[in-house]
Amino acid sequence: MSHPFETLPTTPTSEELIDKAFSRAARAGRAKQGHEAQESMLQTASNILSDNLENVVTAWPDFDDLDPFYRQLADAESSVDDLRKHLSEVTWASRKTDDIRDEYQSRLRNADTDGARKLRKQAFARLADVTREVSDDLAALGEARNALRVFPDIRPDEPAIVVAGYPNVGKSSFVNRVTRADNEIAAYPFTTTQIHVGHLERDHIRYQLVDTPGLLDRPPEERNDIETQAISALEHLADTVLVLVDASGECGFPIDVQLDLRDDVVERFQDAPVLTIANKADRSRDVEADHYMSVTEDDNVEGVLDAAIDAVGYEPELPFEE
């Protein structure tokens, strides 16, 4: 299963489209003579441009039909409004090439051979101009395609446990520990940072554990707009959030600062349960938390995982029984 942007084909440049259309048209013209050759060249060039421009547009998913997680991610990476404008411009160019073909085909029928050649050259010039008018739109779509294709393979239809907290509180160690028997942790580019995704299976249900270094590991005032939008995407994804804190202070951040981050997460993720997990509990329990554990000592790690899964509350669909 791939995400909705993974299969986007390479976006051609305007010059690549023009070269392709006119070289194919030249071959088509060589196969015929006189007036018929000019008509064949016009038909071939305009069809190639129209079809290829339309294919650029239809390859993209409908943003209104996307899962909110991926729509928010796309918006953070490339601005959905801008992408829609670029796609609209390319659609216009595709239709305009059809209009030029229809206009010149009717004029070619009433021209002699020399006149037909001149009209065909005029049509080619206009086809090239229209295609070049959307060169910036094609370039923008190509850049967006390259960025969106490497989005993380996260499945919005599978339950997700998001792990938050300041650096060095044990987030990665926890994710590594509870997923080690199932899958390696995969790192993906994720807007301005990376996202680490691990999986585990419990009662035939696959859970995703999402660690978000660079996003949910510092105060909101330190995040830029893109990072804030990426967090908005995570809000749609999360079924439970674990906020890890370190009461020992070894992580380098005071506990009150860590709890401020926890409060921000609670405020943002209002549709998902947020559990406060005190890690390194073998060194200090001097904080009020929902659960205490020590990943290094393998103390209550499974208990925290059980609590997270219980908080998800995911009920698999059972087969109908009479």
Side-chain angles (χ1 to χ4, degrees), residues 10 29 37 66 70-71 130 211 222 248 271 280 290 296 300:
T10 302
L66 284 180
Y70 278 113
R71 188 167 62 246
V130 166
D211 181 17
E222 294 183 12
S248 74
D271 293 332
K280 307 181 186 179
D290 295 302
T296 58
N300 199 36

Side-chain angles (χ1 to χ4, degrees), residues 7-33:
T7 57
L8 282 174
T10 302
T11 307
T13 67
S14 59
E15 294 305 319
E16 287 171 343
L17 288 178
I18 292 168
D19 289 346
K20 178 180 179 180
F22 291 173
S23 62
R24 294 270 186 89
R27 289 203 298 272
R30 286 194 294 270
K32 301 182 184 299
Q33 297 294 323

Side-chain angles (χ1 to χ4, degrees), residues 9-74:
T10 302
T11 307
T13 67
S14 59
E15 294 305 319
E16 287 171 343
L17 288 178
I18 292 168
D19 289 346
K20 178 180 179 180
F22 291 173
S23 62
R24 294 270 186 89
R27 289 203 298 272
R30 286 194 294 270
K32 301 182 184 299
Q33 297 294 323
H35 195 282
E36 189 179 0
Q38 305 307 311
E39 289 185 344
S40 179
M41 291 174 71
L42 173 61
Q43 180 82 26
T44 300
S46 60
N47 285 354
I48 287 175
L49 289 174
S50 177
D51 291 348
N52 280 269
L53 289 166
E54 183 181 8
N55 289 341
V56 169
V57 176
T58 57
W60 283 79
D62 186 333
F63 292 107
D64 291 332
D65 293 338
L66 284 180
D67 185 276
F69 170 68
Y70 278 113
R71 188 167 62 246
Q72 286 275 3
L73 272 191

Side-chain angles (χ1 to χ4, degrees), residues 164-186:
Y166 272 92
N168 303 317
V169 297
K171 301 189 301 294
S172 298
S173 297
F174 171 74
V175 174
N176 283 329
R177 178 64 59 87
V178 299
T179 62
R180 68 184 187 276
D182 299 275
N183 289 280
E184 293 182 0
I185 306 301

Side-chain angles (χ1 to χ4, degrees), residues 59-95:
W60 283 79
D62 186 333
F63 292 107
D64 291 332
D65 293 338
L66 284 180
D67 185 276
F69 170 68
Y70 278 113
R71 188 167 62 246
Q72 286 275 3
L73 272 191
D75 200 37
E77 186 69 57
S78 302
S79 171
V80 166
D81 286 343
D82 288 347
L83 289 172
R84 281 181 164 140
K85 290 176 184 176
H86 296 312
L87 291 167
S88 177
E89 289 297 310
V90 175
T91 296
W92 166 83
S94 174
R95 292 172 180 169

Side-chain angles (χ1 to χ4, degrees), residues 28-284:
R30 286 194 294 270
K32 301 182 184 299
Q33 297 294 323
H35 195 282
E36 189 179 0
Q38 305 307 311
E39 289 185 344
S40 179
M41 291 174 71
L42 173 61
Q43 180 82 26
T44 300
S46 60
N47 285 354
I48 287 175
L49 289 174
S50 177
D51 291 348
N52 280 269
L53 289 166
E54 183 181 8
N55 289 341
V56 169
V57 176
T58 57
W60 283 79
D62 186 333
F63 292 107
D64 291 332
D65 293 338
L66 284 180
D67 185 276
F69 170 68
Y70 278 113
R71 188 167 62 246
Q72 286 275 3
L73 272 191
D75 200 37
E77 186 69 57
S78 302
S79 171
V80 166
D81 286 343
D82 288 347
L83 289 172
R84 281 181 164 140
K85 290 176 184 176
H86 296 312
L87 291 167
S88 177
E89 289 297 310
V90 175
T91 296
W92 166 83
S94 174
R95 292 172 180 169
K96 188 65 177 176
T97 58
D98 288 337
D99 293 341
I100 293 171
R101 177 199 61 213
D102 294 343
E103 175 189 343
Y104 277 87
Q105 275 181 335
S106 62
R107 294 172 66 182
L108 279 168
R109 293 191 191 102
N110 301 319
D112 58 23
T113 300
D114 287 340
R117 184 180 297 107
K118 290 178 181 177
L119 287 170
R120 191 268 303 163
K121 289 182 177 179
Q122 288 178 17
F124 271 26
R126 289 184 60 187
L127 289 170
D129 285 345
V130 166
T131 306
R132 289 189 177 109
E133 275 194 57
V134 294
S135 59
D136 289 345
D137 300 290
L138 291 170
L141 290 170
E143 290 178 6
R145 174 259 184 194
N146 293 339
L148 298 177
R149 283 185 75 248
V150 295
F151 268 4
D153 183 19
I154 292 178
R155 303 179 185 182
D157 59 336
E158 293 184 350
I161 300 167
V162 173
V163 183
Y166 272 92
N168 303 317
V169 297
K171 301 189 301 294
S172 298
S173 297
F174 171 74
V175 174
N176 283 329
R177 178 64 59 87
V178 299
T179 62
R180 68 184 187 276
D182 299 275
N183 289 280
E184 293 182 0
I185 306 301
Y188 303 93
F190 188 82
T191 61
T192 59
T193 179
Q194 279 195 331
I195 187 168
H196 300 155
V197 183
H199 301 93
L200 63 93
E201 189 169 304
R202 180 71 63 85
D203 297 328
H204 307 293
I205 300 171
R206 195 175 89 139
Y207 293 85
Q208 304 169 106
L209 272 82
V210 183
D211 181 17
T212 57
L215 290 178
L216 293 171
D217 64 353
R218 62 187 191 279
E221 60 269 17
E222 294 183 12
R223 303 170 191 147
N224 62 34
D225 290 343
I226 292 177
E227 290 164 345
T228 300
Q229 282 186 283
I231 291 173
S232 295
L234 290 173
E235 290 174 41
H236 293 289
L237 178 73
D239 294 290
T240 297
V241 184
L242 302 182
V243 180
L244 270 60
V245 297
D246 171 15
S248 74
E250 292 180 359
C251 67
F253 299 93
I255 190 61
D256 59 330
V257 172
Q258 297 181 57
L259 294 177
D260 285 344
L261 178 64
R262 186 274 314 274
D263 293 343
D264 172 66
V265 171
V266 170
E267 185 175 344
R268 288 200 63 105
F269 289 79
Q270 296 185 6
D271 293 332
V274 178
L275 303 180
T276 304
I277 310 298
N279 189 28
K280 307 181 186 179
D282 55 313
R283 300 168 198 176
S284 175

